[in-house]
């Protein structure tokens, strides 16, 4: 297998990547990225399945034309929760709703407290519009499906592997993001489906392990792949696949960065207790199904920097220069954290422990002397304080270090502030695409490789400053939470909202 090659596909929120590796050495031969195309309908945002799939085929054809007969596998990972329904004729009959789309909010807000708790006990997930089940209910209701046939839900990797092989399979880490999968029994839950009256209408594919073969391209409908005899495999949910790529251990906390951020811990037991339920932490199954995952997403990550660039109408290069100058000043102890600008970065809703899509950002500390660089520092401080706030929901006493992957490793100020905020060493992995490498490792675990990373240590002079800042951040966070909840109640029933009187 010394000369055999493997293709990995990673469908991300903002960009998608297709990589070609030499299997024996894990050497990267080729990589191409393209925007994950979206479109809007009257209800919200969709992934443009037609455009994305055709772009993937163009890249796959380019690879096959150059390396025909030498490709052993195609391995697919993606964002979680997004998918489509197919009918009994195996035709796609729904749009591909983006994972973050909030159109299904009514199917969460109408749940009783008892139903939400039962959903958590069975699936390990807090009831939320991000997950697949409320999207499925929305599709069934709004597209007025008849009940004379059954429909099958396919996550993005399931759908693409189906297109390539005509086989219907899914994978554990993807299944455990649907809000329909019994975490401990490892079966699809008719009990949870019955909450939405879908138990006799919706079905799901057989679940297999990460990296197991779904099928072969010889059985598919893609002409240029039929003669290639390439195995197709599902690697899994991108955060989990990235964790596999950097060899995450149970005493490591993964910080996966990108458009959003995630914190991930693995354990041989799920965290299904009342504390995790109240704090809206997400349980799941790891790419190695012997382990469970404890996960929390922060809906704002790198997209805060995109907002910063757009707000001040500056280029990416100018943003990087601003970050570099702040980093140098921070290292030289020229920046005080006594009373900085602070952003609560809920620019796209909030995650645990107050998981709410209607949550909005809040910036505190602006004065007439505030300059652009102060706002940037406030954004990065806010991202780090949000991470510190969320991390208090995790069993941090067992965590020895944090491992950081993704765009954060290119921003040394962000990494240093993370170390100072958590008072933990940060291993910043120097791997361009951990998810792509993880997809390769899911299929082929027997090659030797070395993980290259830089260890960043906390500045103990700043650790106490962050502890003090967290007190202020917590107060602002909890105060803002009341505003969000009050607004939500007012929208549901105006008589329930608090009446605010302002005097001039």
């Amino acid at each position: 297998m010394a000369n055999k090659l493997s293709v990995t596909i990673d469908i991300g929120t903002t960009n998608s990547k297709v990589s070609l590796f030499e299997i024996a050495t894990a050497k990267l031969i080729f990589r191409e990225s393209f925007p994950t195309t979206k479109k809007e309908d009257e209800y919200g945002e969709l992934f443009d399945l037609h455009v994305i799939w055709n772009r993937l085929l163009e890249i796959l054809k380019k690879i096959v034309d150059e390396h025909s007969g030498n490709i052993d596998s195609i391995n697919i990972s993606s964002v979680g929760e997004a998918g489509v329904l197919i009918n009994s004729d195996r035709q796609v009959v729904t749009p591909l709703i983006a994972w973050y789309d909030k159109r299904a909010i009514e199917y969460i807000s109408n749940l009783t407290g008892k139903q939400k708790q039962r959903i958590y006990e069975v699936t390990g997930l807090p009831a939320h519009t991000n997950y697949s089940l409320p999207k499925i209910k929305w599709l069934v209701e709004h597209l007025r499906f008849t009940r004379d046939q059954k429909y099958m839900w396919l996550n993005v990797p399931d759908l693409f592997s189906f297109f390539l092989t005509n086989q219907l399979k899914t994978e554990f880490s993807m299944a455990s993001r649907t809000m329909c999968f019994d975490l401990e029994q490892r079966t699809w839950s008719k009990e949870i489906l019955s909450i939405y009256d879908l138990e006799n209408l919706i079905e799901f594919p057989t679940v297999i392990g990460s990296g197991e073969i779904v099928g072969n391209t010889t059985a598919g409908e893609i002409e240029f792949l039929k003669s290639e005899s390439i195995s197709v495999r599902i690697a899994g949910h991108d955060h989990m696949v990235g964790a596999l790529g950097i060899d995450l251990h149970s005493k490591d906390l993964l910080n996966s960065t990108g458009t959003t951020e995630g914190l991930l811990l693995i354990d041989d037991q799920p965290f299904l207790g009342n504390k995790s339920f109240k704090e809206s932490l997400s349980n799941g199954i790891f790419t190695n199904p012997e382990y469970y995952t404890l996960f929390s997403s922060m809906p704002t990550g790198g997209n805060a920097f995109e907002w910063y660039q757009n707000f001040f109408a500056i280029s990416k290069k100018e943003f990087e220069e601003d970050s570099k100058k702040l980093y140098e000043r921070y290292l030289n102890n020229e920046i005080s954290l006594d009373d900085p600008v602070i952003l609560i970065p809920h620019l796209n809703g909030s995650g645990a422990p107050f998981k709410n899509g209607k949550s909005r950002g809040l910036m505190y500390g602006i004065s007439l002397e505030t300059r652009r660089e102060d706002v940037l520092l406030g954004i990065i401080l806010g991202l780090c304080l949000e991470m510190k706030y969320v991390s208090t929901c995790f069993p941090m006493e067992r965590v020895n270090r944090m491992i950081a992957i993704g765009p954060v490793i290119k921003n040394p100020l962000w990494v240093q502030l993370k170390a100072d905020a958590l008072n933990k060493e940060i291993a910043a992995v120097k791997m361009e695409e951990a998810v792509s490498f993880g997809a390769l490792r899911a299929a082929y675990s027997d090659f030797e490789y070395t993980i290259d990373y830089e260890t960043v240590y906390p500045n103990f002079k700043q650790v106490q400053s962050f502890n003090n800042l967290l007190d202020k951040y917590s107060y602002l966070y909890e105060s803002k939470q009341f505003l969000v909840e009050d607004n939500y109640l007012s929208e549901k029933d105006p008589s329930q909202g608090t009446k605010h009187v302002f005097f001039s």
Side-chain angles (χ1 to χ4, degrees), residues 28-86:
L28 179 66
I29 306 297
F30 165 88
R31 174 171 288 143
E32 186 164 339
S33 298
F34 61 92
T36 306
T37 311
K38 292 135 185 121
K39 59 183 180 180
E40 293 184 356
D41 62 7
E42 59 184 301
Y43 303 103
E45 197 154 2
L46 309 169
F47 289 128
D48 194 325
L49 175 58
H50 179 75
V51 172
I52 295 168
W53 176 241
N54 283 326
R55 188 73 187 95
L56 278 176
L57 288 182
E58 288 175 8
I59 299 172
L60 286 174
K61 189 170 191 313
K62 183 193 303 185
I63 293 172
V64 169
D65 286 347
E66 188 170 345
H67 302 280
S68 180
N70 206 33
I71 302 169
D72 185 67
S73 67
I74 297 172
N75 309 283
I76 309 169
S77 59
S78 86
V79 296
E81 301 95 36
V84 299
L85 289 169
I86 63 172

Side-chain angles (χ1 to χ4, degrees), residues 157-200:
D158 317 343
L159 178 64
F160 289 171
S161 63
F162 167 61
F163 286 163
L164 292 169
T165 68
N166 272 326
Q167 300 299 309
L168 296 169
K169 301 284 178 62
T170 190
E171 177 273 343
F172 282 110
S173 69
M174 296 302 301
S176 62
R177 300 295 290 179
T178 61
M179 213 172 90
C180 304
F181 194 67
D182 189 314
L183 207 61
E184 295 188 283
Q185 298 300 317
R186 306 291 175 101
T187 58
W188 297 106
S189 175
K190 284 193 172 292
E191 177 190 354
I192 302 305
L193 281 170
S194 68
I195 291 175
Y196 285 102
D197 189 28
L198 295 173
E199 70 275 20
N200 296 315

Side-chain angles (χ1 to χ4, degrees), residues 72-250:
D72 185 67
S73 67
I74 297 172
N75 309 283
I76 309 169
S77 59
S78 86
V79 296
E81 301 95 36
V84 299
L85 289 169
I86 63 172
N87 63 15
S88 57
D89 294 324
R90 294 186 163 194
Q91 298 171 322
V92 176
V93 292
T94 67
L96 177 54
I97 301 173
W99 64 266
Y100 50 82
D101 183 273
K102 300 176 177 65
R103 71 186 65 203
I105 182 64
E106 64 180 295
Y107 302 113
I108 296 299
S109 58
N110 291 337
L111 293 170
T112 66
K114 187 176 181 180
Q115 286 172 325
K116 290 179 179 179
Q117 184 150 12
R118 185 57 184 156
I119 287 171
Y120 197 84
E121 289 169 352
V122 174
T123 72
L125 295 176
H128 194 274
T129 55
N130 281 0
Y131 303 118
S132 306
L133 183 54
K135 292 178 173 63
I136 294 170
K137 179 64 174 177
W138 187 94
L139 290 167
V140 167
E141 294 294 319
H142 283 74
L143 299 182
R144 302 185 186 280
F145 283 3
T146 62
R147 293 185 176 256
D148 58 357
Q149 64 175 304
K150 286 196 170 186
Y151 299 86
M152 179 176 285
W153 175 259
L154 298 178
N155 296 302
V156 172
D158 317 343
L159 178 64
F160 289 171
S161 63
F162 167 61
F163 286 163
L164 292 169
T165 68
N166 272 326
Q167 300 299 309
L168 296 169
K169 301 284 178 62
T170 190
E171 177 273 343
F172 282 110
S173 69
M174 296 302 301
S176 62
R177 300 295 290 179
T178 61
M179 213 172 90
C180 304
F181 194 67
D182 189 314
L183 207 61
E184 295 188 283
Q185 298 300 317
R186 306 291 175 101
T187 58
W188 297 106
S189 175
K190 284 193 172 292
E191 177 190 354
I192 302 305
L193 281 170
S194 68
I195 291 175
Y196 285 102
D197 189 28
L198 295 173
E199 70 275 20
N200 296 315
L201 185 67
I202 301 300
E203 56 188 5
F204 298 88
T206 300
V207 185
I208 61 176
S210 174
E212 288 187 35
I213 295 175
V214 172
N216 197 286
T217 57
T218 54
E221 301 298 327
I222 311 302
E223 285 299 324
F224 70 87
L225 290 173
K226 277 188 174 184
S227 60
E228 291 295 319
S229 189
I230 300 170
S231 67
V232 177
R233 310 158 191 249
I234 298 173
H237 184 210
D238 52 7
H239 290 291
M240 318 308 168
V241 176
L244 178 69
I246 53 89
D247 197 25
L248 188 74
H249 293 284
S250 59

